[in-house]
Amino acid sequence: MIRFDQVSFGYDRGPLVLEGVTLHVEPGSFHFVVGASGAGKTSLLRLLYLGAKPTAGRVVLAGRDVARLSRRERAHLRRRIGVVFQDYRLFENLTVFENVALPLRIAGETEEEVRDKANELLSWVGLAEALDSYPPSLSGGEQQRVAVARAVITNPDLLIADEPTGNLDDRMAERLLRLFDELHRVGTTVLIATHNEQLVRRLGHPQLRVGDGQVVAEGPHGPPPFAD
Amino acid sequence: MVSAFSSSASLPLGRDPARGYLLGVTGFLVLLLTLTALTAIYLEDVAGGWRRSVAAQATLLLPPEASARDQARTVDALLDALRNARGIVAADVLSREKTAALLSPWLGDSAEDPSLPLPLLVAIHLDPEAIDWPALRRTVAGIAPTAQLDDHSDWVGRLLSFAGWLQGMAGAMALLVVLCSIGTVIFITRAGLAVHREPIEMLHLMGAEDRFVARQFEQRVGEPLLLGSLAGVLLALVLLALVALALRPSTGSGLFGPLPAPPLMALLVPFLLPVLTTAVGRMTAYWTVLRTLARLP
């Protein structure tokens, strides 16, 4: 699913955040992205969701060298990637329903499909009563759930989440992780950036540890928690 | 949090101060465009009418002679020759009253003084395709060497040249207004792209193609463009109606008679301009977005 060949990345003329990273992530795998603050986790994720171009090296996603893609091909590849941003990045002038429905509308789904899928997913994340609310009127946790629903509504091949459980209570965090696990089971490649060492240990998935400009793959801590 | 949409899959340009600006500027520019377009069309029509009317007319001026009998004999001979000449449809002597009325703007009431010697005027109606001007001039000179045959070409030529110059100015102004309108839409679209940089980036990250974003801008400029241009056209029509009303008493008399009714093309302008302005503006916004986004990494 993901391959980095000697990838370096830095902002403008600043020092390189990632330097000569070589990485391979199998399709359908589940990884935590861990590392200290400022280590380069967000930079790694940006490269993965095509939010930035590498300073050097080659990024291959779904078998495609992203540097060789046309703008149209990049757009279509991005539709296969769901992203949960740490700051949610919801459209505050759109209702909850419209925020969640937007990726489907961009993909050209029919209004009927959009309505069905968005309603179902919003019910699942416990926001069925908030369809017509606007994000500024929601709590941080509710906004985070909207962001998650928006990221997964297209059943993406690659799901990238940056601290997705940060503002959730234990019960909702558990439900969310189950959702990620279900997506993983049906073949979605999942990458979750987190500081939550307890979560990482509990779920036991392999990690990509970011630090000193490098990304190192580490083995799982234990069996998947939702194996049954 | 991304500040973005006001309705489903639409950027919030309706809430921008630029919307009011676009509406106002469009209204003003379309007002100018309507005035210049209608002026150009009307001038073209009026000039065409003059050209056609004058081409079928000529005037023969016979200076007053000392003997009325001699003058009558000369006039009879001239009328006889004219009526038998090729291409002449009719030739009639203008009555003294009509001649005096024509000269009254210059002579005032004294034009009606019977003791004032007035030239005799012969109004000639002709077929411009059949007339042989050199032969006619020779005939007239043979009968009355002092008579002046005026085909009006010199005077009308100057008038048409002036009308053409006015039309050229109107055309140049219309072009300038169109360019200004396009420039305004480009400016506002680029400003909108800068203001909405964050939501646009987010749309791209969700897989939106540039065309998707361009369509949002295209739709958003459409409404103020249409409303602004309708207001501009309406205001222009009101102004033109007031001008026509103000000019009516003075144009009812004089050399050309009352102003002709507006041509069909002029009647179409109020309908066509808002549609064309909106279409061109929308296309401009669409292509501006595509061109601007294509330059982004």
Side-chain angles (χ1 to χ4, degrees):
Chain A
M1 183 70 204
I2 300 165
R3 205 173 80 222
F4 276 29
D5 290 336
Q6 291 296 313
V7 170
S8 298
F9 178 74
Y11 294 93
D12 296 328
R13 292 181 183 179
L16 291 175
V17 182
L18 300 173
E19 199 168 355
V21 172
T22 294
L23 179 69
H24 183 68
V25 174
E26 289 290 335
S29 61
F30 193 130
H31 283 83
F32 285 109
V33 179
V34 296
S37 292
K41 294 196 297 295
T42 301
S43 300
L44 175 65
L45 297 187
R46 282 188 68 186
L47 290 171
L48 288 171
Y49 61 71
L50 308 182
K53 289 182 175 177
T55 310
R58 195 163 73 114
V59 175
V60 179
L61 287 177
R64 308 291 303 274
D65 182 346
V66 297
R68 294 177 182 275
L69 298 176
S70 67
R71 288 185 68 81
R72 190 159 188 265
E73 288 169 330
R74 284 172 76 86
H76 283 255
L77 184 56
R78 278 167 168 156
R79 290 179 195 173
R80 298 168 61 185
I81 304 170
V83 188
V84 183
F85 294 95
Q86 194 170 11
D87 55 357
Y88 323 134
R89 297 204 199 176
L90 300 175
F91 294 98
E92 62 183 20
N93 294 329
L94 283 184
T95 64
V96 165
F97 176 86
E98 288 166 340
N99 264 286
V100 174
L102 191 55
L104 295 177
R105 287 184 168 142
I106 287 173
E109 300 264 2
T110 65
E111 273 307 301
E112 193 182 352
E113 285 175 304
V114 169
R115 199 172 48 246
D116 291 348
K117 287 184 184 174
N119 282 332
E120 183 187 345
L121 197 52
L122 282 168
S123 295
W124 196 88
V125 295
L127 290 171
E129 304 300 316
L131 293 181
D132 297 323
S133 303
Y134 288 88
S137 68
L138 303 179
S139 69
E142 287 170 327
Q143 290 184 34
Q144 197 159 27
R145 280 183 271 160
V146 177
V148 170
R150 184 179 67 181
V152 302
I153 195 163
T154 53
N155 290 324
D157 294 335
L158 172 61
L159 177 68
I160 297 167
D162 197 357
E163 297 287 354
T165 57
N167 281 307
L168 301 181
D169 57 38
D170 289 346
R171 191 178 62 83
M172 187 46 70
E174 184 81 8
R175 287 189 71 179
L176 195 62
L177 291 170
R178 277 187 179 276
L179 171 67
F180 290 163
D181 207 58
E182 283 172 24
L183 288 167
H184 169 225
R185 283 165 190 262
V186 296
T188 302
T189 307
V190 180
L191 286 174
I192 297 177
T194 184
H195 284 104
N196 191 335
E197 291 289 341
Q198 191 186 358
L199 179 77
V200 173
R201 275 197 300 275
R202 193 161 66 83
L203 294 185
H205 289 298
Q207 303 159 37
L208 299 174
R209 186 166 294 280
V210 184
D212 299 327
Q214 293 298 310
V215 180
V216 179
E218 295 179 356
H221 286 262
F226 310 120
D228 54 338
Chain B
M1 188 175 292
V2 178
S3 171
F5 298 42
S6 60
S7 67
S8 171
S10 299
L11 293 165
L13 300 185
R15 296 182 182 187
D16 287 349
R19 183 183 177 276
Y21 173 73
L22 181 61
L23 205 147
V25 169
T26 304
F28 178 68
L29 291 176
V30 170
L31 165 72
L32 293 180
L33 193 58
T34 309
L35 291 176
T36 50
L38 287 178
T39 304
I41 291 169
Y42 200 72
L43 273 176
E44 169 67 27
D45 193 60
V46 168
W50 290 346
R51 210 178 290 120
R52 285 189 299 278
S53 159
V54 165
Q57 287 179 26
T59 305
L60 185 66
L61 185 146
L62 199 63
E65 289 185 26
S67 158
R69 189 181 298 168
D70 288 349
Q71 187 164 45
R73 205 170 22 247
T74 308
V75 169
D76 286 344
L78 276 172
L79 287 176
D80 194 43
L82 287 171
R83 285 167 184 161
N84 289 313
R86 187 161 63 91
I88 302 292
V89 177
D92 297 297
V93 178
L94 260 64
S95 66
R96 184 179 170 85
E97 289 74 29
K98 278 192 177 175
T99 307
L102 282 174
L103 293 173
S104 64
W106 291 274
L107 301 178
D109 291 342
S110 58
E112 290 166 16
D113 182 353
S115 65
L116 188 72
L118 293 179
L120 267 177
L121 295 175
V122 178
I124 305 170
H125 294 272
L126 49 88
D127 176 0
E129 302 296 319
I131 193 76
D132 180 356
W133 284 109
L136 187 64
R137 286 185 200 287
R138 278 196 303 273
T139 305
V140 169
I143 298 167
T146 56
Q148 294 170 30
L149 182 61
D150 184 5
D151 63 3
H152 305 167
S153 60
D154 185 37
W155 175 74
V156 168
R158 284 201 299 270
L159 209 58
L160 289 178
S161 157
F162 181 63
W165 181 81
L166 283 179
Q167 276 181 280
M169 287 295 289
M173 195 167 165
L175 184 68
L176 199 67
V177 169
V178 169
L179 291 177
C180 279
S181 306
I182 290 173
T184 301
V185 172
I186 291 174
F187 170 75
I188 283 178
T189 305
R190 285 190 177 163
L193 282 168
V195 167
H196 301 295
R197 190 184 56 78
E198 205 182 334
I200 290 168
E201 184 190 347
M202 193 58 205
L203 285 174
H204 277 141
L205 290 180
M206 286 194 283
E209 288 182 48
D210 293 345
R211 288 182 304 172
F212 181 90
V213 179
R215 272 201 300 276
Q216 314 304 314
F217 277 85
E218 184 197 356
Q219 285 164 10
R220 283 297 180 173
V221 297
E223 190 200 357
L225 281 173
L226 186 64
L227 290 178
S229 52
L230 283 174
V233 162
L234 200 67
L235 197 57
L237 291 179
V238 169
L239 282 176
L240 286 172
L242 290 175
V243 169
L245 219 61
L247 287 178
R248 197 174 52 170
S250 62
T251 53
S253 61
L255 292 175
F256 302 105
L259 284 174
L264 180 66
M265 190 62 189
L267 296 176
L268 288 177
V269 164
F271 298 99
L272 285 179
L273 266 186
V275 175
L276 286 176
T277 305
T278 307
V280 170
R282 285 181 65 140
M283 271 196 297
T284 304
Y286 186 84
W287 288 109
T288 302
V289 173
L290 285 189
R291 283 176 60 87
T292 308
L293 293 181
R295 285 197 288 268
L296 296 179

